[in-house]
Amino acid sequence: MNAPITPANTAVPALDPQEVSLSRTSTWSGTETADFYGPQPGSDPAYAEKLGDPGQYPFTRGSYPKMYRSRMWTLRNIVGYGAPEDTLEGIHQSLAGGSTGINIVFDVPTQQGIDPDHPAFGMEVGLEGCSVPSLPDMERLLADIDITRTDVAWHATLFAYTLCAAMAKRRGIPLDHIQGSHMPDHLQQTLSGWGTRIVPTDLAHRATVDCVEFCVRNSPRWALGMPQAYDLRERGATPAAEIAFGMAIINKTMEDLQTRGLHVDQVAPSIAWVSTSDIDFFEEVAKFRALRRIWARTMHERFGAQDARSMRLRAACHTSGKSLVFQQPINNITRAAIQSFAALCGGVQSLEACTYDEPVSIPTVEAREIATRTQQILAHEVGAARVADPLGGSYYVEALTDGIERDALALLAEVEGMGLLNAVESGFIEGWMDEANLRFEEELEAGARLQVGKNCYQAEGSHIPPRFAFNPANTQEHIERFKAMKRDRDQSSVTNALRRLHADVREGRNMQPGMIDAFLASASIGETWGMVRLGMGQSYDPYNTVTCPFDLS
């Protein structure tokens, strides 16, 4: 392996990735435990076919034989607010508090491909994530982070990879050296409330296939978080629907990648399913088990996978933000702890625990530290990491696993019967989630479903925790700096790069190289995505406020 490349012009020593290992394999009272527990050999003829030991096909009981005994999950905290410099400060605080991975979220304008000087936006810039509208801003954000060694996960679909790739090229780093992950599932943006005006269905699917193909061919150390099923669950999908809609996206993407000459064994090992863990502990454990079984059989039986890495699904999990309650928010610590425990009993590979104050504001430093300590307590005191699939063999959990699998496969067949893109375009999937949301709300109102503090056990004068605050002057300075960058750059270089990108998209070539070149030429995200939209026959600006300022003739 080549020696790591140290980033140039670092203001402080480069951040090193941290490792956490299992502290003990015995119980709290001292009883030694095995790697896993199962039936006596030969006592259950269906065991190998339906369950198998952890690390064995169909991976129902876990992706690896020893699970967290051999490698702990990555303990993550999500950070993102204000200008790049603000978020970089938050990254340092998160790592100092014990996080082993960095998760960065973009603000809404960046995620939608909108520049911070867009006339329809203002206060939204940097409000619920970090504003990163250009390559210089990405360089500021990652000023002291070695992208060949540090595990940076991007809670973003657009631009995360192409901006990192452009930065790597500017630093002289080969693309096959960079590591990290992002979520190239553009269809979930269409399904998660943005709609087809912001992310048209054909554009969303084309962008996903282009991105996955380019990453697999050029950056094998870069992980692809898809499907982005977390947002589908937050939007209203049930555990079975999460699997059904997510597998429909995976299957369609895999089929189109096969037509481009890629084999499943080239693609699937790079994929990590992005999931949630909601409040029903046993149901979420069962969901992860059913998901792994469906994934393994689909990759092997439908796509012909032979590599165990293709059939052995990795899962990245964030506990459910939707489940958190504004009233009596301190109770959310308990909710996040239970959801984290479910994810670990379900066998995920990375985990972010929600902070208790998320319904109130951007997480405070104290809240992020509590979320980190929650995972550490689960690992080192509760014993969540000791034994693989600790609930395997439970009549209840096995019945739930089978039921979720059955319901997921039935709904998947319905979606694929009408065609995924048609199911998205027609509104079938969003309508399904709308109906699930309606039932949920009706049950809350009728008292058939109880949420402590919200519709029962309410308290007068519930304590509201302090809100997170940062200096808005930094964001305004960031916007002015961005305007100056656009004013002072080489305009002809920008125009030429954007013309080439537009031609690539219009003529059916992979859009990723053109996007990288556009960022290197100092194009902004709004300008770059505007060219992609125009090449796909859409308006330059999804809000129809800004017209294309470039001559494409």
Side-chain angles (χ1 to χ4, degrees), residues 326-390:
F326 177 82
Q327 299 89 344
Q328 303 173 33
I330 203 74
N331 293 336
N332 292 328
I333 296 175
T334 302
R335 293 184 176 98
I338 291 169
Q339 293 165 3
S340 297
F341 194 26
L344 299 176
C345 289
V348 304
Q349 277 61 60
S350 69
L351 177 62
E352 302 167 31
C354 281
T355 61
Y356 75 93
D357 58 353
E358 284 189 24
V360 178
S361 71
I362 294 173
T364 61
V365 174
E366 177 194 41
R368 287 204 306 266
E369 183 174 321
I370 290 173
T372 298
R373 297 291 178 259
T374 296
Q375 293 195 50
Q376 291 166 336
I377 291 169
L378 287 169
H380 302 300
E381 298 182 37
V382 174
R386 257 184 237 133
V387 176
D389 193 30

Side-chain angles (χ1 to χ4, degrees), residues 224-522:
L224 303 166
M226 66 173 298
Q228 216 284 46
Y230 179 88
D231 282 356
L232 296 179
R233 287 291 299 280
E234 297 288 283
R235 175 67 175 79
T238 62
E242 172 193 337
I243 297 175
F245 299 150
M247 286 304 303
I249 292 170
I250 287 293
N251 292 344
K252 175 60 175 170
T253 303
M254 202 69 73
E255 288 169 355
D256 287 359
L257 288 169
Q258 286 182 325
T259 67
R260 297 189 183 193
L262 286 171
H263 188 270
V264 62
D265 286 337
Q266 293 174 275
V267 180
S270 296
I271 292 176
W273 189 287
V274 181
S275 187
T276 190
S277 183
D278 211 322
I279 196 61
D280 192 318
F281 175 86
F282 295 101
E283 186 174 49
E284 292 302 326
V285 173
K287 177 203 69 182
F288 287 112
R289 301 172 86 248
L291 170 59
R292 279 194 298 271
R293 188 156 69 203
I294 290 174
W295 176 277
R297 289 175 173 169
T298 302
M299 294 303 114
H300 180 55
E301 297 172 9
R302 180 168 177 168
F303 294 109
Q306 298 299 314
D307 190 335
R309 296 176 304 159
S310 299
M311 297 175 270
R312 185 176 60 204
L313 177 65
R314 294 180 296 164
C317 180
H318 187 111
T319 62
S320 174
K322 181 181 179 181
S323 72
L324 304 184
V325 176
F326 177 82
Q327 299 89 344
Q328 303 173 33
I330 203 74
N331 293 336
N332 292 328
I333 296 175
T334 302
R335 293 184 176 98
I338 291 169
Q339 293 165 3
S340 297
F341 194 26
L344 299 176
C345 289
V348 304
Q349 277 61 60
S350 69
L351 177 62
E352 302 167 31
C354 281
T355 61
Y356 75 93
D357 58 353
E358 284 189 24
V360 178
S361 71
I362 294 173
T364 61
V365 174
E366 177 194 41
R368 287 204 306 266
E369 183 174 321
I370 290 173
T372 298
R373 297 291 178 259
T374 296
Q375 293 195 50
Q376 291 166 336
I377 291 169
L378 287 169
H380 302 300
E381 298 182 37
V382 174
R386 257 184 237 133
V387 176
D389 193 30
L391 297 178
S394 157
Y395 294 128
Y396 180 39
V397 171
E398 298 298 351
L400 285 174
T401 302
D402 293 347
I404 291 172
E405 179 185 35
R406 180 184 61 252
D407 293 346
L409 291 175
L411 182 55
L412 172 60
E414 187 176 1
V415 170
E416 294 196 315
M418 66 179 71
L420 170 66
L421 301 187
N422 181 55
V424 175
E425 192 73 31
S426 69
F428 170 80
I429 294 178
E430 284 200 274
W432 197 99
M433 293 188 290
D434 286 340
E435 290 180 4
N437 282 330
L438 178 60
R439 288 193 300 271
F440 185 95
E441 291 301 322
E442 288 176 341
E443 290 173 358
L444 278 179
E445 291 177 7
R449 184 189 298 267
L450 301 182
Q451 282 189 304
V452 173
K454 185 171 185 177
N455 66 345
C456 65
Y457 307 111
Q458 296 164 323
E460 294 291 334
S462 176
H463 171 68
I464 301 301
R467 293 177 181 268
F468 178 84
F470 61 95
N471 187 356
N474 291 345
T475 304
Q476 189 56 44
E477 181 181 337
H478 158 73
I479 295 172
E480 295 303 319
R481 186 173 59 199
F482 173 77
K483 292 177 180 178
M485 183 275 294
K486 291 175 68 175
R487 183 181 61 247
D488 299 338
R489 63 193 175 178
D490 184 337
Q491 303 298 340
S492 63
S493 296
V494 176
T495 301
N496 290 335
L498 291 175
R499 281 176 181 162
R500 291 192 295 271
L501 171 61
H502 179 260
D504 286 346
V505 176
R506 188 183 66 245
E507 296 167 15
R509 292 184 289 274
N510 193 302
M511 66 180 72
Q512 300 295 297
M515 291 176 69
I516 294 169
D517 289 343
F519 289 135
L520 285 167
S522 298

Side-chain angles (χ1 to χ4, degrees), residues 95-177:
L95 290 176
S99 292
T100 58
I102 300 168
N103 279 32
I104 300 174
V105 61
F106 289 158
D107 65 356
V108 171
T110 303
Q111 293 194 53
Q112 292 189 355
I114 301 296
D115 286 339
D117 61 350
H118 191 287
F121 287 79
M123 291 182 63
E124 294 88 349
V125 176
L127 183 62
E128 295 181 340
C130 182
S131 175
V132 188
S134 69
L135 178 55
D137 291 305
M138 178 64 90
E139 291 176 316
R140 293 183 186 95
L141 176 59
L142 301 181
D144 54 0
I145 296 174
D146 184 348
I147 59 175
T148 69
R149 298 181 64 240
T150 305
D151 181 14
V152 180
W154 300 89
H155 274 245
T157 299
L158 300 179
F159 315 120
Y161 173 77
T162 45
L163 281 169
C164 282
M167 187 176 71
K169 284 197 166 190
R170 181 167 286 181
R171 290 180 174 180
I173 302 172
L175 293 185
D176 61 0
H177 281 44

Side-chain angles (χ1 to χ4, degrees), residues 3-19:
I5 300 172
T6 303
N9 302 320
T10 55
V12 299
L15 296 173
D16 288 326
Q18 300 185 34
E19 296 292 336

